[in-house]
Amino acid sequence: MTNSQEYFDDDELSGMLASIDHPVPPLEVGAVIRRARIRSGRRSALLAAAALIMVASIATATVPGSLGRRYLREWLDRRSASRTPAVAVQARGDGADDAASRGIAFAPGPQVDIDFKWEQSAGALQVRWADVAKVMLSQTGSQSDAHYALMPNGVIVDNAGSRASYSLVLPRTLERARVRVAGKVVLSKEGQTLSCAGVHADTGSCVIEVGAGHSK
Amino acid sequence: MNAYAFDAAFRAAFASRYAELFRVVDRYLGDASLAGDIAQETFVRLYNRGTMPDDLRAWLVSVALNQARDEQRSQSRRLRLLRRRAPEEHMGDAALAPDEEVLSAERRSLVRRALVILPARDRALLLLREEGYSYRELALSLDILESSVGTLLARAKVAFRKVYESQQRENIKPLERA
């Protein structure tokens, strides 16, 4: 069976290997092609579906007020909130003629205090609750300037001589919030308890006079 | 190459190489069912590739042996080997006398065990050379230097004989004791 060499000669080896062969299973080339096409089609369908979802998501995110846009905004807010220290200033207006952009936004801790140092001769504060991650306080509709100082638990607004109105947006998830005008509490929230010394609008917001008479 | 030309080339490749590929993988793994799956899968991949490789034989066997090695590594493969079906259908020696049949079965078992024990590269070298692969094709298929093929092949043959004979001795020992 073996020769005197160190290995089997070629014929012997061929015979040994042929002895362990199994019959070749019958297979039609057409079946292979069909299987290949099905797999290729499946891959194409998956790619097309992924592309469609991506296009749809982008399209939805560009439509104002859409679910996709809202989700994207919340997601972006959450991302920036998680990156931002609780006391970081996000936006602050400069320049007396840029009233619309004047304001401040920050990621809050568990409690937020907004203090207007002075009563104003005119102006109102609209407070609303939203699914946002940041507290946003902005000045609207006046050329009078106010200065915002960010504190560990909120903001102090130096509104001496201002006749501005303000918009305050608070995160719905905020546990405790307080707004004071010249030391008087005009809005407070403790857990589920909310009190507002102003007018509740239909939209669920609360409008408080910053001028004289806010304590009514 | 346009789609029609590729389709024709693929059919020709399948007709000329399917049986050979199956045989190589079957000998390599010792599992006909798995070898059939791997050979088919290799041609499916060739079809979806859309073009014919420069060296078809080397490409086919390289893809198939990669799958075979992956399969061998997996746990499921080991379990399947343990549950290997008992008597197998074989091509050669159809009408042997009972004694010869026993000897033939013993020899097949020795060959198969020797192949399984042999290092993967040695096994592949032996099997592909047996199929008539040139040194260049062997080098391409197994990712080795063409200049090393002769030496490696000789070593593989020596190793195979050593393993085979050691298995043979292992088989004889229990009989001697009895």
Side-chain angles (χ1 to χ4, degrees), chain A residues 1-41 43, chain B residues 7 10-11 14 18-19 22-23 26-27 30-32 36 40-41 43-45 47-48 88-92 107-108 111-112 115 126-127 130 154 157-158 160-161 164-165 168:
Chain A
M1 180 175 99
T2 60
N3 57 33
S4 57
Q5 296 172 327
E6 288 182 338
Y7 48 82
F8 299 115
D9 65 40
D10 289 348
D11 287 345
E12 194 167 13
L13 185 61
S14 294
M16 292 167 99
L17 294 177
S19 74
I20 60 169
D21 282 344
H22 297 97
V24 179
L27 180 63
E28 293 291 323
V29 66
V32 177
I33 292 174
R34 273 195 300 280
R35 192 175 155 191
R37 283 180 181 158
I38 288 168
R39 186 179 302 171
S40 168
R43 199 180 332 151
Chain B
D7 198 72
F10 176 81
R11 286 171 188 274
F14 184 84
Y18 168 66
F22 167 79
R23 193 163 48 241
D26 179 31
R27 287 175 176 178
D31 185 329
Q40 184 178 176
E41 172 63 23
F43 278 98
V44 166
R45 289 187 192 182
Y47 191 86
N48 282 338
E88 294 178 348
E89 194 183 353
H90 290 277
M91 297 276 281
R107 192 175 185 228
R108 283 200 300 266
V111 173
R112 195 174 294 297
L115 278 176
L126 276 186
L127 298 179
E130 171 62 20
K157 285 179 174 178
V158 172
F160 176 71
R161 180 162 175 167
Y164 181 87
E165 287 176 350
Q168 209 170 22

Side-chain angles (χ1 to χ4, degrees), chain A:
Chain A
M1 180 175 99
T2 60
N3 57 33
S4 57
Q5 296 172 327
E6 288 182 338
Y7 48 82
F8 299 115
D9 65 40
D10 289 348
D11 287 345
E12 194 167 13
L13 185 61
S14 294
M16 292 167 99
L17 294 177
S19 74
I20 60 169
D21 282 344
H22 297 97
V24 179
L27 180 63
E28 293 291 323
V29 66
V32 177
I33 292 174
R34 273 195 300 280
R35 192 175 155 191
R37 283 180 181 158
I38 288 168
R39 186 179 302 171
S40 168
R42 231 180 261 153
R43 199 180 332 151
S44 303
L46 279 173
L47 285 173
L52 191 68
I53 288 168
M54 191 185 284
V55 168
S57 304
I58 292 168
T60 311
T62 58
V63 177
S66 69
L67 192 67
R69 191 184 177 93
R70 212 163 59 212
Y71 177 79
L72 185 64
R73 171 160 287 176
E74 284 171 16
W75 181 74
L76 288 171
D77 283 344
R78 273 199 301 274
R79 269 177 66 87
S80 58
S82 66
R83 282 184 188 165
T84 311
V87 294
V89 176
Q90 292 295 303
R92 185 164 193 159
D94 290 312
D97 56 350
D98 188 18
S101 66
R102 207 172 300 143
I104 193 166
F106 59 97
Q111 176 173 346
V112 168
D113 288 324
I114 308 289
D115 279 300
F116 290 85
K117 285 174 82 172
W118 314 100
E119 281 187 354
Q120 296 182 180
S121 56
L125 168 66
Q126 183 184 39
V127 184
R128 60 190 179 86
W129 305 85
D131 295 320
V132 292
K134 285 184 216 160
V135 173
M136 289 177 277
L137 175 62
S138 58
Q139 190 174 326
T140 57
S142 170
Q143 293 187 354
S144 303
D145 201 3
H147 297 277
Y148 304 87
L150 193 62
M151 306 305 285
N153 281 338
V155 182
I156 294 178
V157 184
D158 187 352
N159 55 339
S162 172
R163 294 168 57 83
S165 287
Y166 305 86
S167 162
L168 174 63
V169 180
L170 296 168
R172 226 183 276 282
T173 53
L174 197 61
E175 276 296 304
R176 299 169 69 192
R178 197 165 47 180
V179 178
R180 286 180 293 206
V181 177
K184 290 177 186 164
V185 176
V186 292
L187 179 142
S188 80
K189 185 195 178 197
E190 286 279 341
Q192 299 297 312
T193 310
L194 174 69
S195 67
C196 171
V199 180
H200 286 277
D202 290 341
T203 54
S205 64
C206 172
V207 181
I208 303 157
E209 287 184 27
V210 190
H214 57 74
S215 57
K216 69 184 173 188

